[in-house]
């Protein structure tokens, strides 16, 4: 199965091999390989320091110890710059990496780069989505069009089932 296998609708599906990525982060480079020693919670969000994105990041932050106990790392991804991520992490004491997908290839690989509407105007942006990737690089759960409230609890429950 190719690294970026897609279902008939062109979207990644549970059981697919997760696409590889390399993105700059506040800690240097994040390189995802197909196999690792940790499960990965890869969450895509629209923008640093906005209300919904801040709530989601703080919720992951507040549950980081539970994820760590389950051998899971959290990686947040948006198109914001590394400098923006640094400010966001510092402001909210976020203990996990934030990766910059300034080049949209990773967002496209994961199917989260979508046309959106705001006040009747169409634009391209990140659809809030989360992917749970196991230690073998296989996607075990996907949440698309995420509603922030209760989301981290659902992700944590899925990690516990791995």
């Amino acid at each position: 199965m190719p690294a970026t296998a897609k279902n008939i609708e062109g979207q990644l599906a549970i059981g697919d091999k997760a696409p590889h990525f390399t993105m700059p982060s506040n800690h240097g480079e994040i390189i995802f390989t197909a196999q690792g020693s940790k499960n990965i919670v890869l969450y895509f969000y629209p923008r640093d320091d906005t209300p919904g994105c801040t709530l989601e990041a703080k919720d992951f932050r507040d549950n980081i110890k539970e994820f760590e106990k389950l051998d899971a790392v959290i990686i947040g991804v948006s198109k914001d710059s590394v400098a923006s991520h640094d400010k966001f992490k510092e402001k909210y004491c976020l203990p996990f990496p934030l990766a910059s997908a300034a080049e949209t290839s990773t967002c496209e690989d994961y199917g989260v780069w979508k046309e959106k509407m705001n006040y009747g105007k169409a634009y391209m942006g990140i659809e809030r989505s989360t992917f749970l990737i196991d230690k073998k690089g296989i996607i075990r759960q996907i949440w698309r069009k995420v509603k922030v409230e209760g989301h981290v609890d659902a992700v944590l429950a899925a990690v516990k089932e791995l």
Side-chain angles (χ1 to χ4, degrees), residues 62-74:
D62 294 347
N63 288 280
I64 191 74
K65 295 293 182 199
E66 291 301 312
F67 284 101
E68 288 173 348
K69 286 178 194 174
L70 299 167
D71 256 353
V73 296
I74 297 166

